Amino acid sequence: MNLSANEVRINEATNWINQDVAKEIKAKPIPEGSIVFAKIGEALKQNRLRMTVRPTIVDNNMMGAIPKTDIVEPGFLFYGMHQFDFGEIASGTALPYLTMSELANLPMSIPPLPEQRAIAHILGTLDDKIELNRRMNQTLEEMARAIFKSWFVDFDPVRAKMEGRDVGLPPDLAALFPDRLVDSELGAIPAGWEVKPLGELCDKPQYGYTQSGKDEPIGPKFLRITDINKKAWIEWDSVPHCEITEDAFDKYRLKEGDVLIARMADPGHGCMIEEEQYAVFASYLIRFRPMHGRYARFIQYWLRSDNYWELVKGRGAGTTRISLNAKVISEFPILVPNDSLLDTFGEQINVLRTSVVANYNESCALTAQRDALLPGLVSGELKLPVQRED
């Protein structure tokens, strides 16, 4: 059992319907505090339970367990249901299906309500902190992107100087920006900045290692496209391992500051390695190692800019499938400011991204703590000191 941080509560719906539509389709919402989960197919095997925070309508591929609140605390029911493997319980092999009777017959130890609430509170507090860290990281990421866009895409400080407005930055930082724009192959750019191909900022690009990832902790971590294209940070705890020789490990070992870009499957997505890991990278990724440390943070956020994605999409114009290679990516033009500004940008982003990494690592520790406590608490093997309710 391993609950990820995003498997705790349903906070946002992707689709909304009004009461008239709900009545027309004869949909009956399940109440707040219900536990919802897939009941058919591969999604069922993943055992992803959610607890609703508002009345919710689920489709017929899902099932909802509505707690009898005079008997069971919703939070306790949520955590208690994680002791079951729905993939093993379900009927059928080709397309497993969980029935109401199979669900109803699952045995669960139900302690007194005060103890249930205490258990739900302890585990919920850990999950709340994990969720808070996730939201903080999203905010920190938005701040970093906003700085990059303002300075290196919209040229806000330069335009402010041109128009005689306050730059809105400390004087020493404002002095790093020029006060005029000049023409270039990319259009108007700040004076003194240069347009260079990405390849001039990096060592010779390198394709990754061909191997299959394994869940067993044998060998180094094996970073794949699916590990970098979902969030703005790498969730190393979910990255698989791989077997590799010592010589191959030395060749493909990842180092802090390495930039990786997907060439196939989900081309264009990239990341920067922000902490030392015992890890290598897969063959659908290309490594671009910046020649100087000052380029790393700049390239990291250039990869998240609209300008970069226009280049990626342009590569796929007139084709049914975009694919990239090291030569194509190396030729992508990138607008490079002066070294002093690059250093300053890196320093500011380092502060934000250090917090992102620290928050994620803390969440991993909290997840491990929660996962270790959960089985004993819900089974009754671990007892909590609980005051009696009058």
Side-chain angles (χ1 to χ4, degrees):
M1 189 281 305
N2 182 19
L3 289 72
S4 75
N6 64 353
E7 293 174 1
V8 179
R9 298 173 179 86
I10 297 177
N11 292 319
E12 297 179 1
T14 54
N15 296 289
W16 296 84
I17 61 174
N18 59 38
Q19 292 183 354
D20 292 337
V21 175
K23 184 176 180 180
E24 181 180 343
I25 64 175
K26 298 180 180 180
K28 185 178 180 180
I30 58 175
E32 172 187 335
S34 299
I35 318 304
V36 298
F37 46 91
K39 67 179 182 181
I40 189 170
E42 289 299 317
L44 179 150
K45 294 181 181 180
Q46 295 173 13
N47 246 50
R48 292 186 175 180
L49 282 71
R50 308 287 196 274
M51 186 166 67
T52 61
V53 295
R54 58 179 63 85
T56 303
I57 295 171
V58 299
D59 67 23
N60 57 11
N61 290 317
M62 299 186 69
M63 187 180 291
I66 303 174
K68 294 181 177 180
T69 54
D70 58 332
I71 299 175
V72 63
E73 172 73 15
F76 177 82
L77 179 63
F78 169 76
Y79 289 111
M81 290 180 68
H82 277 87
Q83 66 187 293
F84 305 114
D85 187 336
F86 291 160
E88 291 185 358
I89 297 167
S91 302
T93 54
L95 189 64
Y97 188 95
L98 184 65
T99 66
M100 291 291 291
S101 60
E102 289 166 338
L103 181 67
N105 289 329
L106 294 176
M108 182 180 292
S109 175
I110 305 295
L113 279 169
E115 188 173 344
Q116 292 182 43
R117 296 187 183 106
I119 292 170
H121 174 73
I122 288 176
L123 298 175
T125 298
L126 294 172
D127 278 327
D128 287 342
K129 176 55 177 171
I130 293 169
E131 173 63 16
L132 176 61
N133 284 346
R134 185 190 66 80
R135 293 200 304 267
M136 289 175 60
N137 278 359
Q138 286 184 330
T139 299
L140 292 167
E141 171 64 9
E142 290 169 2
M143 292 170 62
R145 292 192 188 201
I147 293 172
F148 183 91
K149 185 174 185 296
S150 176
W151 291 8
F152 306 124
V153 178
D154 297 334
F155 312 137
D156 289 335
V158 177
R159 296 184 188 280
K161 283 187 173 184
M162 293 171 61
E163 298 169 7
R165 294 184 285 107
D166 180 22
V167 176
L169 297 171
D172 56 337
L173 177 53
L176 300 178
F177 292 90
D179 57 5
R180 64 191 180 91
L181 299 175
V182 297
D183 291 332
S184 78
E185 64 184 270
L186 297 181
I189 64 171
W193 296 13
E194 297 181 87
V195 177
K196 296 183 178 181
L198 176 64
E200 285 192 14
L201 307 183
C202 304
D203 294 333
K204 183 180 178 180
Q206 179 187 6
Y207 292 94
Y209 182 56
T210 301
Q211 185 56 279
S212 298
K214 298 183 177 181
D215 292 333
E216 297 81 9
I218 300 174
K221 290 281 189 176
F222 188 53
L223 194 69
R224 308 154 301 167
I225 293 175
T226 188
D227 301 312
I228 71 169
N229 65 355
K230 296 179 179 64
K231 295 183 179 178
W233 55 89
I234 300 172
E235 295 190 331
W236 285 105
D237 63 322
S238 63
V239 176
H241 297 257
C242 73
E243 296 180 355
I244 191 171
T245 65
E246 185 175 344
D247 287 345
F249 174 72
D250 290 339
K251 180 179 180 180
Y252 296 104
R253 182 175 186 175
L254 289 169
K255 296 184 179 180
E256 185 175 350
D258 282 354
V259 173
L260 302 172
I261 300 176
R263 65 183 177 91
M264 296 181 67
D266 202 356
H269 284 277
C271 72
M272 191 192 92
I273 303 302
E274 299 181 272
E275 55 182 332
E276 288 295 331
Q277 292 282 342
Y278 180 54
V280 296
F281 62 107
S283 57
Y284 280 5
L285 295 172
I286 308 173
R287 169 160 58 191
F288 290 83
R289 178 168 288 166
M291 292 180 180
H292 195 288
R294 65 168 53 100
Y295 297 137
R297 290 298 187 191
F298 183 74
I299 295 173
Q300 180 185 21
Y301 278 89
W302 174 69
L303 293 176
R304 299 172 187 180
S305 68
D306 290 342
N307 292 346
Y308 166 75
W309 279 102
E310 287 175 4
L311 293 170
V312 172
K313 293 173 183 176
R315 174 61 182 170
T319 65
T320 57
R321 191 169 192 173
I322 299 175
S323 64
L324 299 172
N325 58 48
K327 183 176 184 299
V328 168
I329 299 174
S330 296
E331 293 173 351
F332 280 177
I334 180 171
L335 176 60
V336 184
N338 58 71
D339 289 350
S340 297
L341 187 52
L342 283 172
D343 291 339
T344 301
F345 175 75
E347 292 167 2
Q348 296 208 8
I349 300 305
N350 280 340
V351 173
L352 301 177
R353 295 300 304 190
T354 297
S355 294
V356 168
V357 172
N359 288 339
Y360 169 71
N361 288 335
E362 181 185 43
S363 290
C364 287
L366 293 171
T367 298
Q369 182 180 359
R370 178 201 60 200
D371 291 351
L373 287 172
L374 192 152
L377 289 174
V378 300
S379 67
E381 293 179 12
L382 292 178
K383 294 293 185 181
L384 297 175
V386 180
Q387 292 183 348
R388 293 184 58 183
E389 295 182 356
D390 296 331

